[in-house]
Amino acid sequence: NHHYFLYVHKGKGIYKLAGKAYPASMGDIFYCPPMMGNTIVADGTDPFLLSGIEFRVLENGVFQQKAVSGLCQHYNILQDSFL
């Protein structure tokens, strides 16, 4: 029911989100909007270690769509020295 991030600490596999399949490996972070179907398929020899973070973006008790409108669905933070 909430927005969430899925972070891959280690391992590999496939993350399916909104009908699109993404290869997933260490450092990947995925954004999933509320009520969107998703599937996690771990590799049989190198399974995932994952963290999921649910969040809400509220201002004065009202959800702020503009705060999440620019989020991409997949990003690898290992490619960004700042992150």
Side-chain angles (χ1 to χ4, degrees):
N1 293 338
H2 302 291
H3 297 265
Y4 82 90
F5 290 116
L6 179 74
Y7 179 68
V8 181
H9 293 277
K10 65 180 183 176
K12 61 184 177 182
I14 302 292
Y15 184 60
K16 297 177 184 176
L17 180 61
K20 185 172 181 181
Y22 298 92
S25 59
M26 187 171 77
D28 284 337
I29 191 163
F30 296 92
Y31 163 66
C32 184
M35 309 306 288
M36 182 172 287
N38 61 87
T39 304
I40 300 167
V41 181
D43 181 83
T45 59
D46 190 11
F48 289 126
L49 174 61
L50 304 170
S51 289
I53 304 165
E54 291 186 354
F55 66 95
R56 298 181 205 174
V57 182
L58 302 175
E59 184 176 306
N60 297 323
V62 177
F63 175 72
Q64 300 297 307
Q65 180 64 38
K66 64 184 177 187
V68 296
S69 63
L71 293 176
C72 64
Q73 289 186 321
H74 175 230
Y75 188 76
N76 187 292
I77 66 170
L78 298 180
Q79 300 169 4
D80 190 322
S81 60
F82 175 76
L83 297 175

